[in-house]
Amino acid sequence: MVDTMNRFGHLSTLPSGPFRFIALDVETASNSIGSICQIGLCFVSDTGSMQTYSVLIDPEGPFEVFNTELHGISAITVIGAGTFPTVHASLFEVLNTHNLVQHSTFDEKAMTAACARYGLPMISSHWTNSVSIARRAWPSLKGAGGHG
């Protein structure tokens, strides 16, 4: 178990693995792909049980109206939240030792950009794109609303 501080100063405990995979989703504050303001995780065990975890992040930069309207996170929401280096330190080991699933390639690109911004090591786990899987599983959805 890894303990981290949430934005209210309370300990939030990451579940302990191993896990079959971890689904990862990030939100950004602006059109700068490395401006991560939230990371959401879903830990999926070998038995299919799931545990979720979410952490707000101070992106140390401005929020754009478009992004805030999209996900509802603003500069006010992240007051007191940790910065990316702090959150990265608490998540690195668990993310780096499990297969990661993202929807599109945005999340991996955002994590790479944020790591580069702060000079931190990138997550080197295997990343799977769930959009590619959905396209193979449900080809009939192409052009009929897509695979979002």
Side-chain angles (χ1 to χ4, degrees), residues 87-138:
V87 173
H88 177 274
S90 67
L91 297 178
F92 183 79
E93 184 178 346
V94 72
L95 295 180
N96 209 43
T97 56
H98 289 86
N99 291 322
L100 302 175
V101 176
Q102 62 185 322
H103 195 69
S104 84
T105 59
F106 179 82
D107 304 291
E108 182 180 10
K109 289 176 184 175
M111 292 291 286
T112 299
C115 287
R117 175 182 174 195
Y118 290 101
L120 299 171
M122 179 49 198
I123 307 299
S124 60
S125 298
H126 175 76
W127 291 79
T128 299
N129 179 352
S130 64
V131 172
S132 299
I133 294 168
R135 286 180 178 150
R136 284 194 305 271
W138 300 286

Side-chain angles (χ1 to χ4, degrees), residues 5 11 20 22 36 43 49 54 56 64 67 79 84 87 92 97 99-100 106 119-120 130:
M5 298 297 279
L11 280 177
R20 189 167 147 218
I22 300 170
I36 296 174
F43 299 85
S49 68
S54 177
L56 291 169
E64 292 184 16
N67 295 62
I79 290 174
F84 185 80
V87 173
F92 183 79
T97 56
N99 291 322
L100 302 175
F106 179 82
L120 299 171
S130 64

Side-chain angles (χ1 to χ4, degrees), residues 1-2 10 19 23 34 36 40-41 48 55 60 95 118 136 138 146:
M1 299 259 194
V2 175
H10 300 111
F19 302 102
I36 296 174
L41 303 170
V55 60
E60 300 185 287
L95 295 180
Y118 290 101
R136 284 194 305 271
W138 300 286

